[in-house]
Amino acid sequence: MIMIAPQDEPAPGNTKVTRRDWINLALQTLISDGIESVRVLPLGQKLGVSRSSFYWYFESRQDLLDQLLAHWRDTNTKSIVERAQRPAESIIMGVMNVFECWADERLFDPRLDFAIREWARRSDDVRRAIDQADNDRLGAIRDMYRRHGYGEEDAFIRARVLYYMQIGYYVLDLKEPVEARVSYLAAYLRSFTGQEPSDADVAHFMRFIAAR
């Protein structure tokens, strides 16, 4: 999550609008309308405040855009990396740790990821941030496989298959109910690990799904 700066108390005269409100609306606008719509004046009008409220919290529009990228890194990328690094008794459990990101949009927001990738088409700096994030995510998943005894090349390719499959799933905007997808859980685990998951493995992930 974004670290909230000390000046996050409401700006004078705008007792109901905080820095977080600006960021949340900017994120919603980025996702729904694209980066070109993330502008100070329209955001202020939607919040019902003047531009002075914005400059109480941010130095410039670029400062706000930097905060959007920071939020994306601290949620989407951090969640994948942390779960890939989480200790696991088996590679099947390790893969299911990563699966948590695909199953819970509080951990990984696919709409935000897609919006950032669209933004990268217009910004070399954001393109570099995307490339770094993809490398970090893939590297963490590859290292997870290596910790469980897979060779360098095998770990690299399995990480690519797992990660690129999921990103492609989002890009294609497949409308598959969660229930239908998890019904294939054992087959997915078998495909991604080359090992046979137990009934206990499947039950473990189903408990996660039920508790979301």
Side-chain angles (χ1 to χ4, degrees):
M1 299 295 292
I2 295 175
M3 296 297 293
I4 304 300
Q7 69 268 33
D8 195 47
E9 70 268 10
N14 295 306
T15 57
K16 294 184 180 180
V17 177
T18 67
R19 181 171 180 269
R20 171 58 61 185
D21 292 327
W22 280 97
I23 292 173
N24 286 343
L25 180 57
L27 286 168
Q28 294 167 16
T29 303
L30 172 65
I31 290 169
S32 62
D33 302 321
I35 191 61
E36 290 304 317
S37 295
V38 182
R39 300 284 177 180
V40 177
L41 184 58
L43 293 179
Q45 290 172 339
K46 289 181 180 179
L47 289 170
V49 297
S50 66
R51 291 165 62 97
S52 62
S53 169
F54 176 85
Y55 291 107
W56 176 261
Y57 302 120
F58 306 98
E59 294 182 0
S60 62
R61 176 176 181 262
Q62 185 59 51
D63 185 16
L64 173 62
L65 299 187
D66 290 343
Q67 296 304 311
L68 301 187
L69 278 177
H71 173 82
W72 166 71
R73 282 191 295 265
D74 290 343
T75 53
N76 284 19
T77 296
K78 186 176 180 180
S79 293
I80 294 174
V81 171
E82 285 186 344
R83 276 155 183 77
Q85 293 174 342
R86 183 186 294 172
E89 295 178 358
S90 67
I91 186 58
I92 287 175
M93 293 298 293
V95 169
M96 287 195 297
N97 286 339
V98 177
F99 277 3
E100 291 181 5
C101 297
W102 315 148
D104 189 343
E105 291 189 3
R106 293 171 299 180
L107 300 175
F108 182 93
D109 185 340
R111 295 168 300 171
L112 176 58
D113 221 61
F114 187 76
I116 298 292
R117 291 178 189 279
E118 282 295 305
W119 180 6
R121 297 175 184 272
R122 299 167 175 79
S123 167
D124 290 340
D125 288 342
V126 178
R127 177 71 259 174
R128 283 189 288 271
I130 284 282
D131 291 342
Q132 183 63 58
D134 285 336
N135 287 338
D136 291 345
R137 298 170 187 182
L138 278 167
I141 298 171
R142 177 204 62 209
D143 291 346
M144 176 188 71
Y145 279 106
R146 291 183 65 190
R147 288 196 305 275
H148 288 278
Y150 292 80
E152 178 69 32
E153 184 176 67
D154 197 10
F156 173 67
I157 295 302
R158 287 181 184 274
R160 279 187 155 198
V161 171
L162 191 160
Y163 178 64
Y164 290 156
M165 184 280 295
Q166 187 61 36
I167 296 301
Y169 187 95
Y170 292 137
V171 170
L172 291 172
D173 196 25
L174 297 178
K175 303 299 185 183
E176 184 179 45
V178 172
E179 295 77 11
R181 197 170 190 202
V182 298
S183 71
Y184 303 125
L185 177 61
Y188 276 121
L189 291 170
R190 193 179 306 118
S191 175
F192 291 138
T193 67
Q195 299 181 13
E196 188 66 32
S198 67
D199 291 343
D201 291 328
V202 173
H204 172 84
F205 194 75
M206 295 306 293
R207 286 193 295 272
F208 173 82
I209 293 293
R212 290 178 306 156

